[in-house]
PDB file of all heavy atoms in Angstrom:
ATOM      1  N   VAL A 427     -42.451 -16.705   5.673  1.00 98.00           N
ATOM      2  CA  VAL A 427     -41.154 -17.129   5.145  1.00 98.00           C
ATOM      3  C   VAL A 427     -41.321 -17.453   3.668  1.00 98.00           C
ATOM      4  O   VAL A 427     -42.171 -18.284   3.297  1.00 98.00           O
ATOM      5  CB  VAL A 427     -40.605 -18.344   5.906  1.00 98.00           C
ATOM      6  CG1 VAL A 427     -39.356 -18.886   5.213  1.00 98.00           C
ATOM      7  CG2 VAL A 427     -40.284 -17.971   7.351  1.00 98.00           C
ATOM      8  N   PHE A 428     -40.548 -16.779   2.831  1.00 98.00           N
ATOM      9  CA  PHE A 428     -40.488 -17.107   1.406  1.00 98.00           C
ATOM     10  C   PHE A 428     -39.334 -18.083   1.218  1.00 98.00           C
ATOM     11  O   PHE A 428     -38.165 -17.727   1.423  1.00 98.00           O
ATOM     12  CB  PHE A 428     -40.261 -15.848   0.562  1.00 98.00           C
ATOM     13  CG  PHE A 428     -41.374 -14.839   0.659  1.00 98.00           C
ATOM     14  CD1 PHE A 428     -41.225 -13.690   1.417  1.00 98.00           C
ATOM     15  CD2 PHE A 428     -42.571 -15.035  -0.013  1.00 98.00           C
ATOM     16  CE1 PHE A 428     -42.235 -12.745   1.501  1.00 98.00           C
ATOM     17  CE2 PHE A 428     -43.598 -14.105   0.073  1.00 98.00           C
ATOM     18  CZ  PHE A 428     -43.428 -12.959   0.837  1.00 98.00           C
ATOM     19  N   GLN A 429     -39.662 -19.315   0.848  1.00 98.00           N
ATOM     20  CA  GLN A 429     -38.655 -20.348   0.646  1.00 98.00           C
ATOM     21  C   GLN A 429     -38.435 -20.551  -0.845  1.00 98.00           C
ATOM     22  O   GLN A 429     -39.372 -20.890  -1.579  1.00 98.00           O
ATOM     23  CB  GLN A 429     -39.091 -21.657   1.298  1.00 98.00           C
ATOM     24  CG  GLN A 429     -38.104 -22.796   1.112  1.00 98.00           C
ATOM     25  CD  GLN A 429     -36.790 -22.554   1.837  1.00 98.00           C
ATOM     26  OE1 GLN A 429     -36.769 -22.249   3.028  1.00 98.00           O
ATOM     27  NE2 GLN A 429     -35.674 -22.678   1.107  1.00 98.00           N
ATOM     28  N   ASN A 430     -37.214 -20.334  -1.287  1.00 98.00           N
ATOM     29  CA  ASN A 430     -36.881 -20.462  -2.706  1.00 98.00           C
ATOM     30  C   ASN A 430     -35.948 -21.656  -2.882  1.00 98.00           C
ATOM     31  O   ASN A 430     -34.760 -21.585  -2.543  1.00 98.00           O
ATOM     32  CB  ASN A 430     -36.215 -19.175  -3.203  1.00 98.00           C
ATOM     33  CG  ASN A 430     -35.801 -19.248  -4.667  1.00 98.00           C
ATOM     34  OD1 ASN A 430     -36.266 -20.130  -5.407  1.00 98.00           O
ATOM     35  ND2 ASN A 430     -34.938 -18.346  -5.090  1.00 98.00           N
ATOM     36  N   ASN A 431     -36.475 -22.746  -3.415  1.00 97.00           N
ATOM     37  CA  ASN A 431     -35.670 -23.943  -3.662  1.00 97.00           C
ATOM     38  C   ASN A 431     -35.216 -24.039  -5.115  1.00 97.00           C
ATOM     39  O   ASN A 431     -34.758 -25.096  -5.552  1.00 97.00           O
ATOM     40  CB  ASN A 431     -36.468 -25.192  -3.273  1.00 97.00           C
ATOM     41  CG  ASN A 431     -36.792 -25.225  -1.788  1.00 97.00           C
ATOM     42  OD1 ASN A 431     -35.971 -24.822  -0.967  1.00 97.00           O
ATOM     43  ND2 ASN A 431     -37.993 -25.679  -1.444  1.00 97.00           N
ATOM     44  N   GLU A 432     -35.348 -22.957  -5.845  1.00 98.00           N
ATOM     45  CA  GLU A 432     -34.916 -22.913  -7.243  1.00 98.00           C
ATOM     46  C   GLU A 432     -33.580 -22.179  -7.362  1.00 98.00           C
ATOM     47  O   GLU A 432     -33.129 -21.512  -6.416  1.00 98.00           O
ATOM     48  CB  GLU A 432     -35.980 -22.225  -8.096  1.00 98.00           C
ATOM     49  CG  GLU A 432     -37.336 -22.920  -8.070  1.00 98.00           C
ATOM     50  CD  GLU A 432     -38.343 -22.244  -8.979  1.00 98.00           C
ATOM     51  OE1 GLU A 432     -38.137 -22.268 -10.204  1.00 98.00           O
ATOM     52  OE2 GLU A 432     -39.305 -21.658  -8.455  1.00 98.00           O
ATOM     53  N   ASN A 433     -32.988 -22.266  -8.544  1.00 97.00           N
ATOM     54  CA  ASN A 433     -31.682 -21.640  -8.791  1.00 97.00           C
ATOM     55  C   ASN A 433     -31.802 -20.239  -9.361  1.00 97.00           C
ATOM     56  O   ASN A 433     -30.833 -19.713  -9.917  1.00 97.00           O
ATOM     57  CB  ASN A 433     -30.850 -22.510  -9.745  1.00 97.00           C
ATOM     58  CG  ASN A 433     -30.427 -23.819  -9.097  1.00 97.00           C
ATOM     59  OD1 ASN A 433     -30.081 -23.841  -7.911  1.00 97.00           O
ATOM     60  ND2 ASN A 433     -30.464 -24.901  -9.853  1.00 97.00           N
ATOM     61  N   THR A 434     -32.963 -19.630  -9.244  1.00 97.00           N
ATOM     62  CA  THR A 434     -33.200 -18.314  -9.820  1.00 97.00           C
ATOM     63  C   THR A 434     -33.535 -17.306  -8.717  1.00 97.00           C
ATOM     64  O   THR A 434     -34.040 -17.668  -7.663  1.00 97.00           O
ATOM     65  CB  THR A 434     -34.373 -18.354 -10.821  1.00 97.00           C
ATOM     66  OG1 THR A 434     -35.549 -18.805 -10.128  1.00 97.00           O
ATOM     67  CG2 THR A 434     -34.076 -19.297 -11.973  1.00 97.00           C
ATOM     68  N   MET A 435     -33.246 -16.016  -8.990  1.00 98.00           N
ATOM     69  CA  MET A 435     -33.642 -14.942  -8.075  1.00 98.00           C
ATOM     70  C   MET A 435     -35.157 -14.818  -8.047  1.00 98.00           C
ATOM     71  O   MET A 435     -35.822 -14.936  -9.083  1.00 98.00           O
ATOM     72  CB  MET A 435     -33.055 -13.610  -8.539  1.00 98.00           C
ATOM     73  CG  MET A 435     -31.631 -13.340  -8.120  1.00 98.00           C
ATOM     74  SD  MET A 435     -31.400 -13.168  -6.328  1.00 98.00           S
ATOM     75  CE  MET A 435     -32.548 -11.847  -5.926  1.00 98.00           C
ATOM     76  N   GLN A 436     -35.688 -14.572  -6.873  1.00 98.00           N
ATOM     77  CA  GLN A 436     -37.110 -14.308  -6.723  1.00 98.00           C
ATOM     78  C   GLN A 436     -37.306 -12.911  -6.140  1.00 98.00           C
ATOM     79  O   GLN A 436     -36.418 -12.378  -5.461  1.00 98.00           O
ATOM     80  CB  GLN A 436     -37.761 -15.334  -5.800  1.00 98.00           C
ATOM     81  CG  GLN A 436     -37.593 -16.776  -6.245  1.00 98.00           C
ATOM     82  CD  GLN A 436     -38.357 -17.097  -7.504  1.00 98.00           C
ATOM     83  OE1 GLN A 436     -39.466 -16.623  -7.697  1.00 98.00           O
ATOM     84  NE2 GLN A 436     -37.767 -17.906  -8.375  1.00 98.00           N
ATOM     85  N   SER A 437     -38.457 -12.330  -6.400  1.00 98.00           N
ATOM     86  CA  SER A 437     -38.808 -11.032  -5.825  1.00 98.00           C
ATOM     87  C   SER A 437     -40.298 -11.059  -5.527  1.00 98.00           C
ATOM     88  O   SER A 437     -41.110 -11.293  -6.421  1.00 98.00           O
ATOM     89  CB  SER A 437     -38.463  -9.897  -6.809  1.00 98.00           C
ATOM     90  OG  SER A 437     -38.672  -8.632  -6.222  1.00 98.00           O
ATOM     91  N   TRP A 438     -40.663 -10.839  -4.256  1.00 98.00           N
ATOM     92  CA  TRP A 438     -42.048 -10.973  -3.802  1.00 98.00           C
ATOM     93  C   TRP A 438     -42.602  -9.636  -3.348  1.00 98.00           C
ATOM     94  O   TRP A 438     -41.937  -8.894  -2.615  1.00 98.00           O
ATOM     95  CB  TRP A 438     -42.128 -11.956  -2.638  1.00 98.00           C
ATOM     96  CG  TRP A 438     -42.104 -13.404  -3.025  1.00 98.00           C
ATOM     97  CD1 TRP A 438     -41.020 -14.223  -3.095  1.00 98.00           C
ATOM     98  CD2 TRP A 438     -43.227 -14.209  -3.404  1.00 98.00           C
ATOM     99  NE1 TRP A 438     -41.391 -15.484  -3.470  1.00 98.00           N
ATOM    100  CE2 TRP A 438     -42.743 -15.510  -3.668  1.00 98.00           C
ATOM    101  CE3 TRP A 438     -44.597 -13.953  -3.530  1.00 98.00           C
ATOM    102  CZ2 TRP A 438     -43.583 -16.542  -4.062  1.00 98.00           C
ATOM    103  CZ3 TRP A 438     -45.427 -14.988  -3.916  1.00 98.00           C
ATOM    104  CH2 TRP A 438     -44.918 -16.271  -4.175  1.00 98.00           C
ATOM    105  N   HIS A 439     -43.844  -9.356  -3.732  1.00 98.00           N
ATOM    106  CA  HIS A 439     -44.502  -8.094  -3.381  1.00 98.00           C
ATOM    107  C   HIS A 439     -45.829  -8.390  -2.682  1.00 98.00           C
ATOM    108  O   HIS A 439     -46.542  -9.336  -3.028  1.00 98.00           O
ATOM    109  CB  HIS A 439     -44.781  -7.266  -4.640  1.00 98.00           C
ATOM    110  CG  HIS A 439     -45.632  -6.059  -4.387  1.00 98.00           C
ATOM    111  ND1 HIS A 439     -45.109  -4.870  -3.919  1.00 98.00           N
ATOM    112  CD2 HIS A 439     -46.970  -5.855  -4.509  1.00 98.00           C
ATOM    113  CE1 HIS A 439     -46.098  -3.992  -3.776  1.00 98.00           C
ATOM    114  NE2 HIS A 439     -47.230  -4.568  -4.114  1.00 98.00           N
ATOM    115  N   LEU A 440     -46.164  -7.550  -1.693  1.00 98.00           N
ATOM    116  CA  LEU A 440     -47.449  -7.627  -0.993  1.00 98.00           C
ATOM    117  C   LEU A 440     -48.164  -6.295  -1.141  1.00 98.00           C
ATOM    118  O   LEU A 440     -47.655  -5.260  -0.715  1.00 98.00           O
ATOM    119  CB  LEU A 440     -47.219  -7.947   0.496  1.00 98.00           C
ATOM    120  CG  LEU A 440     -48.419  -7.811   1.445  1.00 98.00           C
ATOM    121  CD1 LEU A 440     -49.558  -8.729   1.023  1.00 98.00           C
ATOM    122  CD2 LEU A 440     -47.994  -8.095   2.878  1.00 98.00           C
ATOM    123  N   ASP A 441     -49.347  -6.316  -1.749  1.00 98.00           N
ATOM    124  CA  ASP A 441     -50.175  -5.110  -1.839  1.00 98.00           C
ATOM    125  C   ASP A 441     -50.768  -4.784  -0.468  1.00 98.00           C
ATOM    126  O   ASP A 441     -50.974  -5.668   0.369  1.00 98.00           O
ATOM    127  CB  ASP A 441     -51.328  -5.323  -2.837  1.00 98.00           C
ATOM    128  CG  ASP A 441     -50.905  -5.114  -4.280  1.00 98.00           C
ATOM    129  OD1 ASP A 441     -49.775  -4.666  -4.510  1.00 98.00           O
ATOM    130  OD2 ASP A 441     -51.711  -5.403  -5.185  1.00 98.00           O
ATOM    131  N   GLY A 442     -51.086  -3.503  -0.270  1.00 97.00           N
ATOM    132  CA  GLY A 442     -51.822  -3.101   0.917  1.00 97.00           C
ATOM    133  C   GLY A 442     -50.982  -2.883   2.157  1.00 97.00           C
ATOM    134  O   GLY A 442     -51.504  -2.415   3.178  1.00 97.00           O
ATOM    135  N   TYR A 443     -49.704  -3.210   2.102  1.00 97.00           N
ATOM    136  CA  TYR A 443     -48.872  -3.201   3.295  1.00 97.00           C
ATOM    137  C   TYR A 443     -47.429  -2.848   2.955  1.00 97.00           C
ATOM    138  O   TYR A 443     -46.994  -2.939   1.813  1.00 97.00           O
ATOM    139  CB  TYR A 443     -48.860  -4.591   3.955  1.00 97.00           C
ATOM    140  CG  TYR A 443     -50.175  -4.972   4.570  1.00 97.00           C
ATOM    141  CD1 TYR A 443     -51.128  -5.678   3.835  1.00 97.00           C
ATOM    142  CD2 TYR A 443     -50.473  -4.598   5.874  1.00 97.00           C
ATOM    143  CE1 TYR A 443     -52.347  -6.014   4.397  1.00 97.00           C
ATOM    144  CE2 TYR A 443     -51.693  -4.939   6.448  1.00 97.00           C
ATOM    145  CZ  TYR A 443     -52.632  -5.639   5.706  1.00 97.00           C
ATOM    146  OH  TYR A 443     -53.841  -5.953   6.267  1.00 97.00           O
ATOM    147  N   ASP A 444     -46.695  -2.463   3.998  1.00 95.00           N
ATOM    148  CA  ASP A 444     -45.271  -2.707   4.002  1.00 95.00           C
ATOM    149  C   ASP A 444     -45.002  -3.696   5.128  1.00 95.00           C
ATOM    150  O   ASP A 444     -45.871  -3.984   5.946  1.00 95.00           O
ATOM    151  CB  ASP A 444     -44.444  -1.425   4.131  1.00 95.00           C
ATOM    152  CG  ASP A 444     -44.905  -0.530   5.264  1.00 95.00           C
ATOM    153  OD1 ASP A 444     -45.575  -1.018   6.194  1.00 95.00           O
ATOM    154  OD2 ASP A 444     -44.590   0.675   5.223  1.00 95.00           O
ATOM    155  N   PHE A 445     -43.807  -4.266   5.143  1.00 97.00           N
ATOM    156  CA  PHE A 445     -43.508  -5.326   6.099  1.00 97.00           C
ATOM    157  C   PHE A 445     -42.049  -5.207   6.528  1.00 97.00           C
ATOM    158  O   PHE A 445     -41.214  -4.641   5.826  1.00 97.00           O
ATOM    159  CB  PHE A 445     -43.776  -6.709   5.497  1.00 97.00           C
ATOM    160  CG  PHE A 445     -43.242  -6.913   4.109  1.00 97.00           C
ATOM    161  CD1 PHE A 445     -41.879  -7.091   3.878  1.00 97.00           C
ATOM    162  CD2 PHE A 445     -44.095  -6.929   3.000  1.00 97.00           C
ATOM    163  CE1 PHE A 445     -41.382  -7.278   2.606  1.00 97.00           C
ATOM    164  CE2 PHE A 445     -43.597  -7.113   1.712  1.00 97.00           C
ATOM    165  CZ  PHE A 445     -42.241  -7.285   1.513  1.00 97.00           C
ATOM    166  N   TRP A 446     -41.762  -5.732   7.713  1.00 97.00           N
ATOM    167  CA  TRP A 446     -40.383  -5.752   8.196  1.00 97.00           C
ATOM    168  C   TRP A 446     -39.659  -6.942   7.566  1.00 97.00           C
ATOM    169  O   TRP A 446     -40.107  -8.088   7.703  1.00 97.00           O
ATOM    170  CB  TRP A 446     -40.350  -5.880   9.709  1.00 97.00           C
ATOM    171  CG  TRP A 446     -40.817  -4.658  10.425  1.00 97.00           C
ATOM    172  CD1 TRP A 446     -40.078  -3.569  10.794  1.00 97.00           C
ATOM    173  CD2 TRP A 446     -42.160  -4.394  10.865  1.00 97.00           C
ATOM    174  NE1 TRP A 446     -40.863  -2.645  11.436  1.00 97.00           N
ATOM    175  CE2 TRP A 446     -42.150  -3.124  11.494  1.00 97.00           C
ATOM    176  CE3 TRP A 446     -43.363  -5.099  10.802  1.00 97.00           C
ATOM    177  CZ2 TRP A 446     -43.289  -2.553  12.045  1.00 97.00           C
ATOM    178  CZ3 TRP A 446     -44.503  -4.537  11.340  1.00 97.00           C
ATOM    179  CH2 TRP A 446     -44.458  -3.283  11.963  1.00 97.00           C
ATOM    180  N   VAL A 447     -38.546  -6.685   6.903  1.00 98.00           N
ATOM    181  CA  VAL A 447     -37.719  -7.770   6.361  1.00 98.00           C
ATOM    182  C   VAL A 447     -36.788  -8.207   7.488  1.00 98.00           C
ATOM    183  O   VAL A 447     -35.747  -7.599   7.749  1.00 98.00           O
ATOM    184  CB  VAL A 447     -36.932  -7.324   5.124  1.00 98.00           C
ATOM    185  CG1 VAL A 447     -36.188  -8.509   4.525  1.00 98.00           C
ATOM    186  CG2 VAL A 447     -37.870  -6.707   4.093  1.00 98.00           C
TER     187      VAL A 447
END
Side-chain angles (χ1 to χ4, degrees):
V427 172
F428 297 104
Q429 179 67 52
N430 178 16
N431 297 322
E432 300 183 66
N433 292 321
T434 59
M435 277 295 304
Q436 303 292 322
S437 186
W438 280 94
H439 171 83
L440 169 59
D441 278 352
Y443 291 92
D444 49 21
F445 46 74
W446 290 273
V447 185

